[in-house]
Every structure is written in structure tokens, then in C-alpha cells.
Amino acid sequence: MAFRFNFTNEELDIEDTEEDPQLESSLHDLNIDEEQLNKIPSREYDILSSPLPNVIQADILQVPNVEYPLYKRTLADVQFQMAEQDNIIDNEEDTTTEKEVLNMLNLTGNTDLIRGVYEGGFKTWECSIDLVQFLSSLPEDKISHRRVLELGCGSSLPSLFLLSHSQTNRVDVQDYNDQVIRYITIPNILLNTVLSVQKPTANTEEIEEDEEEEDDEENIDEEDDEEDDDDESKRVEEDPITCDAEAEIQTEKIPDMLKQVSSRTRAFVGDWSSLPEQLNVDHEKYDMIVTSETIYAEHTLPDLIHVIHKSLKKPDGVW
């Protein structure tokens, strides 16, 4: 079933204008019949196998009325990890996966998703910040000792808040794309619950080089001074500090860190239609289900309602 607003130009009181190719492309993403989509089957993501870099760079997010900051990984840092892995990957399947991630990160035009392929998880949506602010306003008994599911998590800001707020919370996360879980969600959970986050530090070797260059400038002529300035400018442009914070990861501690994450969180990827079976909700249901800006097409509503109906505790569960 295709989704469209059945308004005419006359009803909306607008004049006919020339078609905008970019707008038509974006509208086409929302106008694909459901049967044309090859949905990604739902499955549990193996947190213990998540690849991690030596350093995760993050932006600091200060949410109104939340006492502590939230840390979210920068997209530039994801791209840097992709570049590093590209130099050591020999497996053709893995190489294809990395290219898919880069394609998602490099989306252009006025659309932030490709229906049935990429569901916008690399972008931090404004309503997720509003949801964190709302959760922070709830009574303490509503946001502690809770079993929570976040649907369409992406950056997972609501989950980060709940996991940081109380060690008694268990929060499971779900996103359509496993690349989002792997490179954004899991690193974000680590940043906010396990890792020691610090301000980014300048390279000490570069500082020493700067001091030596300043001493040498006193003994060279004006032309050489200008050349040194040009070189310095280029070097600064190549190595800018583009994040608010960073956290180092020691390779030998990665298994223990991921175990800490998996002790409080399970992760799921794929389409909602088959998600309840993966969640094992017949054994234990959720006290709370949270989601923000996840619905943009009519055909997804029944699947979302199905997940909530099957997964939420009755009669006290909230979503």
C-alpha cells in the first residue's frame, strides 16, 4: 500500500510550479509499495563481537534539566574507523559492508533515509532529545528498576539516559540497520556507561615541533618565515580537533567492556514485523517502550503496534 497525502493544489491554495528533481527523489523514497521492499529479517546482534577502535571521539550533549552530559560518537570518527579498517580488510563481504556504511554516511540531497535500505539511524533526531528531557521529568520510580526497549534507536539518546541514570535499569535497543548498532549505538553506550571520557588532547610531538619552529624563526629571513607559516597552516588543517571529548580503549580490555554492555543490554536489528519472536517476550515483557521519529510511512504502523502489543507489560507498561 503506497502512502501519500491526497490533497490537491487548489485545496492547499498553492500554485503549480516546475518540478524540483531533488524533491521528487525524496518523495519517491516514501512512495514505494510495501511488496517492493526487501525487508531485513529481525535478529539479535552479537554485542560481544562488535569491532572497536583504539579511541572513540564524541560530542557532548547537554540536555535541559538533565544534570549530567550525554556523549554521542561523531560521524567523522565513524568515517575514520572505516578508513582504518579498509586498509586491513581482505574479506570481500566485509569490504562490501564498509562501503555500505560509507554510502549511508555520505547521503546527499534533501532525504535522510532510503526506505527499506537505510532508516536514518546515523542522524541524531531532535525528538530524541525532547524524549530524554521528558524522561528526566518523570518520578524516580518510573525511571529506575525498569526493563526498557527502544525501537529505532540510532544514537539511542533515551537509552543512554536511562542506562546512565540508574544501574538498576536494563535497556534493549533496536535499529533497522546493524551498521548503526555496530558503529553508533554500542560505542555510545560504552561512552556513557563504561569508558572514562576526557577532553581531546593535542599531539605532544606536534607541540614540541611548534616550539622548535618558533626558535628557528629568529634565525631565518622573511621568505623562509612565510614558507614555515604555510607549512604550519597546512598541518593544522590536516589535524583539526573536531570533537568535544574522547575515550581511549585498551585492546586487552575490549572483551570485558563488551560483557559489561551485554549484561544490561541486548541489541536487535532488522524489520519490526518479526521482532517479537526475537525478543523472547513470552518469557519477560517490558516495563517501558520508547521511540521517537520512527514512523514516516503508513505501512510500518501495524508492525509497530504489533511489537508494542506483544512486548509491553499489561496493565502497567508504558510507551
mmCIF file with all atom_site columns, all heavy atoms in Angstrom, residues 288-306:
data_model
loop_
_atom_site.group_PDB
_atom_site.id
_atom_site.type_symbol
_atom_site.label_atom_id
_atom_site.label_alt_id
_atom_site.label_comp_id
_atom_site.label_asym_id
_atom_site.label_entity_id
_atom_site.label_seq_id
_atom_site.pdbx_PDB_ins_code
_atom_site.Cartn_x
_atom_site.Cartn_y
_atom_site.Cartn_z
_atom_site.occupancy
_atom_site.B_iso_or_equiv
_atom_site.pdbx_formal_charge
_atom_site.auth_seq_id
_atom_site.auth_comp_id
_atom_site.auth_asym_id
_atom_site.auth_atom_id
_atom_site.pdbx_PDB_model_num
ATOM 1   N N   . MET A 1 288 ? 8.642  -0.548 29.870 1.00 0.00 ? 288 MET A N   1
ATOM 2   C CA  . MET A 1 288 ? 8.551  0.693  29.101 1.00 0.00 ? 288 MET A CA  1
ATOM 3   C C   . MET A 1 288 ? 9.086  0.462  27.690 1.00 0.00 ? 288 MET A C   1
ATOM 4   O O   . MET A 1 288 ? 10.099 -0.223 27.508 1.00 0.00 ? 288 MET A O   1
ATOM 5   C CB  . MET A 1 288 ? 9.357  1.804  29.789 1.00 0.00 ? 288 MET A CB  1
ATOM 6   C CG  . MET A 1 288 ? 9.346  3.151  29.070 1.00 0.00 ? 288 MET A CG  1
ATOM 7   S SD  . MET A 1 288 ? 10.513 4.342  29.822 1.00 0.00 ? 288 MET A SD  1
ATOM 8   C CE  . MET A 1 288 ? 9.830  4.537  31.466 1.00 0.00 ? 288 MET A CE  1
ATOM 9   N N   . ILE A 1 289 ? 8.420  1.031  26.708 1.00 0.00 ? 289 ILE A N   1
ATOM 10  C CA  . ILE A 1 289 ? 8.918  1.049  25.327 1.00 0.00 ? 289 ILE A CA  1
ATOM 11  C C   . ILE A 1 289 ? 9.010  2.499  24.887 1.00 0.00 ? 289 ILE A C   1
ATOM 12  O O   . ILE A 1 289 ? 8.043  3.257  25.023 1.00 0.00 ? 289 ILE A O   1
ATOM 13  C CB  . ILE A 1 289 ? 7.996  0.265  24.376 1.00 0.00 ? 289 ILE A CB  1
ATOM 14  C CG1 . ILE A 1 289 ? 7.973  -1.222 24.763 1.00 0.00 ? 289 ILE A CG1 1
ATOM 15  C CG2 . ILE A 1 289 ? 8.455  0.414  22.926 1.00 0.00 ? 289 ILE A CG2 1
ATOM 16  C CD1 . ILE A 1 289 ? 7.035  -2.068 23.920 1.00 0.00 ? 289 ILE A CD1 1
ATOM 17  N N   . VAL A 1 290 ? 10.181 2.907  24.385 1.00 0.00 ? 290 VAL A N   1
ATOM 18  C CA  . VAL A 1 290 ? 10.367 4.289  23.945 1.00 0.00 ? 290 VAL A CA  1
ATOM 19  C C   . VAL A 1 290 ? 10.758 4.298  22.468 1.00 0.00 ? 290 VAL A C   1
ATOM 20  O O   . VAL A 1 290 ? 11.442 3.397  21.972 1.00 0.00 ? 290 VAL A O   1
ATOM 21  C CB  . VAL A 1 290 ? 11.448 5.013  24.783 1.00 0.00 ? 290 VAL A CB  1
ATOM 22  C CG1 . VAL A 1 290 ? 11.020 5.137  26.222 1.00 0.00 ? 290 VAL A CG1 1
ATOM 23  C CG2 . VAL A 1 290 ? 12.793 4.292  24.689 1.00 0.00 ? 290 VAL A CG2 1
ATOM 24  N N   . THR A 1 291 ? 10.323 5.322  21.771 1.00 0.00 ? 291 THR A N   1
ATOM 25  C CA  . THR A 1 291 ? 10.681 5.503  20.367 1.00 0.00 ? 291 THR A CA  1
ATOM 26  C C   . THR A 1 291 ? 10.406 6.947  19.987 1.00 0.00 ? 291 THR A C   1
ATOM 27  O O   . THR A 1 291 ? 9.515  7.588  20.546 1.00 0.00 ? 291 THR A O   1
ATOM 28  C CB  . THR A 1 291 ? 9.887  4.535  19.459 1.00 0.00 ? 291 THR A CB  1
ATOM 29  O OG1 . THR A 1 291 ? 10.372 4.606  18.117 1.00 0.00 ? 291 THR A OG1 1
ATOM 30  C CG2 . THR A 1 291 ? 8.396  4.845  19.484 1.00 0.00 ? 291 THR A CG2 1
ATOM 31  N N   . SER A 1 292 ? 11.175 7.485  19.064 1.00 0.00 ? 292 SER A N   1
ATOM 32  C CA  . SER A 1 292 ? 10.963 8.875  18.632 1.00 0.00 ? 292 SER A CA  1
ATOM 33  C C   . SER A 1 292 ? 11.330 9.021  17.158 1.00 0.00 ? 292 SER A C   1
ATOM 34  O O   . SER A 1 292 ? 12.362 8.522  16.710 1.00 0.00 ? 292 SER A O   1
ATOM 35  C CB  . SER A 1 292 ? 11.815 9.837  19.472 1.00 0.00 ? 292 SER A CB  1
ATOM 36  O OG  . SER A 1 292 ? 13.188 9.572  19.318 1.00 0.00 ? 292 SER A OG  1
ATOM 37  N N   . GLU A 1 293 ? 10.446 9.679  16.419 1.00 0.00 ? 293 GLU A N   1
ATOM 38  C CA  . GLU A 1 293 ? 10.643 9.945  14.979 1.00 0.00 ? 293 GLU A CA  1
ATOM 39  C C   . GLU A 1 293 ? 10.986 8.677  14.208 1.00 0.00 ? 293 GLU A C   1
ATOM 40  O O   . GLU A 1 293 ? 11.924 8.653  13.417 1.00 0.00 ? 293 GLU A O   1
ATOM 41  C CB  . GLU A 1 293 ? 11.724 11.020 14.783 1.00 0.00 ? 293 GLU A CB  1
ATOM 42  C CG  . GLU A 1 293 ? 11.306 12.378 15.330 1.00 0.00 ? 293 GLU A CG  1
ATOM 43  C CD  . GLU A 1 293 ? 12.035 13.542 14.684 1.00 0.00 ? 293 GLU A CD  1
ATOM 44  O OE1 . GLU A 1 293 ? 12.116 13.586 13.448 1.00 0.00 ? 293 GLU A OE1 1
ATOM 45  O OE2 . GLU A 1 293 ? 12.510 14.415 15.422 1.00 0.00 ? 293 GLU A OE2 1
ATOM 46  N N   . THR A 1 294 ? 10.221 7.606  14.460 1.00 0.00 ? 294 THR A N   1
ATOM 47  C CA  . THR A 1 294 ? 10.475 6.348  13.766 1.00 0.00 ? 294 THR A CA  1
ATOM 48  C C   . THR A 1 294 ? 9.436  6.030  12.701 1.00 0.00 ? 294 THR A C   1
ATOM 49  O O   . THR A 1 294 ? 9.631  5.119  11.903 1.00 0.00 ? 294 THR A O   1
ATOM 50  C CB  . THR A 1 294 ? 10.515 5.183  14.778 1.00 0.00 ? 294 THR A CB  1
ATOM 51  O OG1 . THR A 1 294 ? 9.384  5.290  15.644 1.00 0.00 ? 294 THR A OG1 1
ATOM 52  C CG2 . THR A 1 294 ? 11.767 5.219  15.603 1.00 0.00 ? 294 THR A CG2 1
ATOM 53  N N   . ILE A 1 295 ? 8.312  6.763  12.689 1.00 0.00 ? 295 ILE A N   1
ATOM 54  C CA  . ILE A 1 295 ? 7.241  6.485  11.732 1.00 0.00 ? 295 ILE A CA  1
ATOM 55  C C   . ILE A 1 295 ? 7.228  7.553  10.639 1.00 0.00 ? 295 ILE A C   1
ATOM 56  O O   . ILE A 1 295 ? 7.094  8.736  10.916 1.00 0.00 ? 295 ILE A O   1
ATOM 57  C CB  . ILE A 1 295 ? 5.868  6.465  12.424 1.00 0.00 ? 295 ILE A CB  1
ATOM 58  C CG1 . ILE A 1 295 ? 5.761  5.257  13.346 1.00 0.00 ? 295 ILE A CG1 1
ATOM 59  C CG2 . ILE A 1 295 ? 4.749  6.434  11.400 1.00 0.00 ? 295 ILE A CG2 1
ATOM 60  C CD1 . ILE A 1 295 ? 5.747  3.934  12.628 1.00 0.00 ? 295 ILE A CD1 1
ATOM 61  N N   . TYR A 1 296 ? 7.426  7.140  9.404  1.00 0.00 ? 296 TYR A N   1
ATOM 62  C CA  . TYR A 1 296 ? 7.320  8.079  8.283  1.00 0.00 ? 296 TYR A CA  1
ATOM 63  C C   . TYR A 1 296 ? 6.511  7.475  7.137  1.00 0.00 ? 296 TYR A C   1
ATOM 64  O O   . TYR A 1 296 ? 6.253  8.138  6.129  1.00 0.00 ? 296 TYR A O   1
ATOM 65  C CB  . TYR A 1 296 ? 8.713  8.466  7.762  1.00 0.00 ? 296 TYR A CB  1
ATOM 66  C CG  . TYR A 1 296 ? 9.471  7.303  7.165  1.00 0.00 ? 296 TYR A CG  1
ATOM 67  C CD1 . TYR A 1 296 ? 9.334  6.968  5.819  1.00 0.00 ? 296 TYR A CD1 1
ATOM 68  C CD2 . TYR A 1 296 ? 10.306 6.524  7.950  1.00 0.00 ? 296 TYR A CD2 1
ATOM 69  C CE1 . TYR A 1 296 ? 10.008 5.893  5.276  1.00 0.00 ? 296 TYR A CE1 1
ATOM 70  C CE2 . TYR A 1 296 ? 10.984 5.448  7.414  1.00 0.00 ? 296 TYR A CE2 1
ATOM 71  C CZ  . TYR A 1 296 ? 10.832 5.136  6.079  1.00 0.00 ? 296 TYR A CZ  1
ATOM 72  O OH  . TYR A 1 296 ? 11.497 4.056  5.553  1.00 0.00 ? 296 TYR A OH  1
ATOM 73  N N   . ALA A 1 297 ? 6.110  6.208  7.279  1.00 0.00 ? 297 ALA A N   1
ATOM 74  C CA  . ALA A 1 297 ? 5.348  5.542  6.223  1.00 0.00 ? 297 ALA A CA  1
ATOM 75  C C   . ALA A 1 297 ? 4.208  4.750  6.839  1.00 0.00 ? 297 ALA A C   1
ATOM 76  O O   . ALA A 1 297 ? 4.360  4.123  7.895  1.00 0.00 ? 297 ALA A O   1
ATOM 77  C CB  . ALA A 1 297 ? 6.260  4.609  5.412  1.00 0.00 ? 297 ALA A CB  1
ATOM 78  N N   . GLU A 1 298 ? 3.063  4.767  6.180  1.00 0.00 ? 298 GLU A N   1
ATOM 79  C CA  . GLU A 1 298 ? 1.840  4.180  6.721  1.00 0.00 ? 298 GLU A CA  1
ATOM 80  C C   . GLU A 1 298 ? 1.981  2.676  6.980  1.00 0.00 ? 298 GLU A C   1
ATOM 81  O O   . GLU A 1 298 ? 1.455  2.152  7.964  1.00 0.00 ? 298 GLU A O   1
ATOM 82  C CB  . GLU A 1 298 ? 0.688  4.452  5.756  1.00 0.00 ? 298 GLU A CB  1
ATOM 83  C CG  . GLU A 1 298 ? -0.669 4.055  6.275  1.00 0.00 ? 298 GLU A CG  1
ATOM 84  C CD  . GLU A 1 298 ? -1.761 4.397  5.277  1.00 0.00 ? 298 GLU A CD  1
ATOM 85  O OE1 . GLU A 1 298 ? -1.478 4.365  4.059  1.00 0.00 ? 298 GLU A OE1 1
ATOM 86  O OE2 . GLU A 1 298 ? -2.883 4.690  5.707  1.00 0.00 ? 298 GLU A OE2 1
ATOM 87  N N   . HIS A 1 299 ? 2.702  1.985  6.118  1.00 0.00 ? 299 HIS A N   1
ATOM 88  C CA  . HIS A 1 299 ? 2.749  0.530  6.217  1.00 0.00 ? 299 HIS A CA  1
ATOM 89  C C   . HIS A 1 299 ? 3.465  0.039  7.469  1.00 0.00 ? 299 HIS A C   1
ATOM 90  O O   . HIS A 1 299 ? 3.307  -1.121 7.876  1.00 0.00 ? 299 HIS A O   1
ATOM 91  C CB  . HIS A 1 299 ? 3.439  -0.064 4.967  1.00 0.00 ? 299 HIS A CB  1
ATOM 92  C CG  . HIS A 1 299 ? 4.934  0.044  4.989  1.00 0.00 ? 299 HIS A CG  1
ATOM 93  N ND1 . HIS A 1 299 ? 5.746  -0.925 5.564  1.00 0.00 ? 299 HIS A ND1 1
ATOM 94  C CD2 . HIS A 1 299 ? 5.759  1.011  4.526  1.00 0.00 ? 299 HIS A CD2 1
ATOM 95  C CE1 . HIS A 1 299 ? 7.010  -0.562 5.444  1.00 0.00 ? 299 HIS A CE1 1
ATOM 96  N NE2 . HIS A 1 299 ? 7.043  0.609  4.820  1.00 0.00 ? 299 HIS A NE2 1
ATOM 97  N N   . THR A 1 300 ? 4.272  0.900  8.136  1.00 0.00 ? 300 THR A N   1
ATOM 98  C CA  . THR A 1 300 ? 5.013  0.473  9.319  1.00 0.00 ? 300 THR A CA  1
ATOM 99  C C   . THR A 1 300 ? 4.173  0.506  10.601 1.00 0.00 ? 300 THR A C   1
ATOM 100 O O   . THR A 1 300 ? 4.561  -0.091 11.607 1.00 0.00 ? 300 THR A O   1
ATOM 101 C CB  . THR A 1 300 ? 6.258  1.352  9.527  1.00 0.00 ? 300 THR A CB  1
ATOM 102 O OG1 . THR A 1 300 ? 5.848  2.720  9.712  1.00 0.00 ? 300 THR A OG1 1
ATOM 103 C CG2 . THR A 1 300 ? 7.193  1.263  8.338  1.00 0.00 ? 300 THR A CG2 1
ATOM 104 N N   . LEU A 1 301 ? 3.037  1.211  10.572 1.00 0.00 ? 301 LEU A N   1
ATOM 105 C CA  . LEU A 1 301 ? 2.215  1.358  11.775 1.00 0.00 ? 301 LEU A CA  1
ATOM 106 C C   . LEU A 1 301 ? 1.720  0.017  12.340 1.00 0.00 ? 301 LEU A C   1
ATOM 107 O O   . LEU A 1 301 ? 1.835  -0.219 13.546 1.00 0.00 ? 301 LEU A O   1
ATOM 108 C CB  . LEU A 1 301 ? 1.037  2.282  11.503 1.00 0.00 ? 301 LEU A CB  1
ATOM 109 C CG  . LEU A 1 301 ? 1.346  3.783  11.541 1.00 0.00 ? 301 LEU A CG  1
ATOM 110 C CD1 . LEU A 1 301 ? 0.171  4.579  10.986 1.00 0.00 ? 301 LEU A CD1 1
ATOM 111 C CD2 . LEU A 1 301 ? 1.671  4.235  12.950 1.00 0.00 ? 301 LEU A CD2 1
ATOM 112 N N   . PRO A 1 302 ? 1.171  -0.893 11.516 1.00 0.00 ? 302 PRO A N   1
ATOM 113 C CA  . PRO A 1 302 ? 0.731  -2.180 12.083 1.00 0.00 ? 302 PRO A CA  1
ATOM 114 C C   . PRO A 1 302 ? 1.862  -2.952 12.749 1.00 0.00 ? 302 PRO A C   1
ATOM 115 O O   . PRO A 1 302 ? 1.654  -3.587 13.790 1.00 0.00 ? 302 PRO A O   1
ATOM 116 C CB  . PRO A 1 302 ? 0.176  -2.921 10.856 1.00 0.00 ? 302 PRO A CB  1
ATOM 117 C CG  . PRO A 1 302 ? -0.207 -1.843 9.897  1.00 0.00 ? 302 PRO A CG  1
ATOM 118 C CD  . PRO A 1 302 ? 0.828  -0.777 10.087 1.00 0.00 ? 302 PRO A CD  1
ATOM 119 N N   . ASP A 1 303 ? 3.065  -2.912 12.156 1.00 0.00 ? 303 ASP A N   1
ATOM 120 C CA  . ASP A 1 303 ? 4.201  -3.627 12.742 1.00 0.00 ? 303 ASP A CA  1
ATOM 121 C C   . ASP A 1 303 ? 4.596  -3.014 14.080 1.00 0.00 ? 303 ASP A C   1
ATOM 122 O O   . ASP A 1 303 ? 4.917  -3.736 15.034 1.00 0.00 ? 303 ASP A O   1
ATOM 123 C CB  . ASP A 1 303 ? 5.396  -3.596 11.790 1.00 0.00 ? 303 ASP A CB  1
ATOM 124 C CG  . ASP A 1 303 ? 5.177  -4.434 10.542 1.00 0.00 ? 303 ASP A CG  1
ATOM 125 O OD1 . ASP A 1 303 ? 4.320  -5.341 10.590 1.00 0.00 ? 303 ASP A OD1 1
ATOM 126 O OD2 . ASP A 1 303 ? 5.852  -4.179 9.527  1.00 0.00 ? 303 ASP A OD2 1
ATOM 127 N N   . LEU A 1 304 ? 4.581  -1.682 14.163 1.00 0.00 ? 304 LEU A N   1
ATOM 128 C CA  . LEU A 1 304 ? 4.918  -1.015 15.417 1.00 0.00 ? 304 LEU A CA  1
ATOM 129 C C   . LEU A 1 304 ? 3.887  -1.368 16.499 1.00 0.00 ? 304 LEU A C   1
ATOM 130 O O   . LEU A 1 304 ? 4.249  -1.697 17.641 1.00 0.00 ? 304 LEU A O   1
ATOM 131 C CB  . LEU A 1 304 ? 4.972  0.501  15.217 1.00 0.00 ? 304 LEU A CB  1
ATOM 132 C CG  . LEU A 1 304 ? 5.225  1.336  16.482 1.00 0.00 ? 304 LEU A CG  1
ATOM 133 C CD1 . LEU A 1 304 ? 6.563  1.001  17.114 1.00 0.00 ? 304 LEU A CD1 1
ATOM 134 C CD2 . LEU A 1 304 ? 5.143  2.833  16.156 1.00 0.00 ? 304 LEU A CD2 1
ATOM 135 N N   . ILE A 1 305 ? 2.615  -1.307 16.148 1.00 0.00 ? 305 ILE A N   1
ATOM 136 C CA  . ILE A 1 305 ? 1.558  -1.643 17.103 1.00 0.00 ? 305 ILE A CA  1
ATOM 137 C C   . ILE A 1 305 ? 1.684  -3.095 17.554 1.00 0.00 ? 305 ILE A C   1
ATOM 138 O O   . ILE A 1 305 ? 1.489  -3.427 18.734 1.00 0.00 ? 305 ILE A O   1
ATOM 139 C CB  . ILE A 1 305 ? 0.177  -1.376 16.475 1.00 0.00 ? 305 ILE A CB  1
ATOM 140 C CG1 . ILE A 1 305 ? -0.007 0.130  16.230 1.00 0.00 ? 305 ILE A CG1 1
ATOM 141 C CG2 . ILE A 1 305 ? -0.943 -1.913 17.365 1.00 0.00 ? 305 ILE A CG2 1
ATOM 142 C CD1 . ILE A 1 305 ? -1.235 0.473  15.420 1.00 0.00 ? 305 ILE A CD1 1
ATOM 143 N N   . HIS A 1 306 ? 2.039  -3.973 16.613 1.00 0.00 ? 306 HIS A N   1
ATOM 144 C CA  . HIS A 1 306 ? 2.203  -5.393 16.930 1.00 0.00 ? 306 HIS A CA  1
ATOM 145 C C   . HIS A 1 306 ? 3.323  -5.599 17.949 1.00 0.00 ? 306 HIS A C   1
ATOM 146 O O   . HIS A 1 306 ? 3.156  -6.366 18.912 1.00 0.00 ? 306 HIS A O   1
ATOM 147 C CB  . HIS A 1 306 ? 2.501  -6.164 15.644 1.00 0.00 ? 306 HIS A CB  1
ATOM 148 C CG  . HIS A 1 306 ? 2.769  -7.625 15.851 1.00 0.00 ? 306 HIS A CG  1
ATOM 149 N ND1 . HIS A 1 306 ? 1.803  -8.506 16.289 1.00 0.00 ? 306 HIS A ND1 1
ATOM 150 C CD2 . HIS A 1 306 ? 3.913  -8.352 15.690 1.00 0.00 ? 306 HIS A CD2 1
ATOM 151 C CE1 . HIS A 1 306 ? 2.325  -9.721 16.381 1.00 0.00 ? 306 HIS A CE1 1
ATOM 152 N NE2 . HIS A 1 306 ? 3.603  -9.655 16.034 1.00 0.00 ? 306 HIS A NE2 1
#
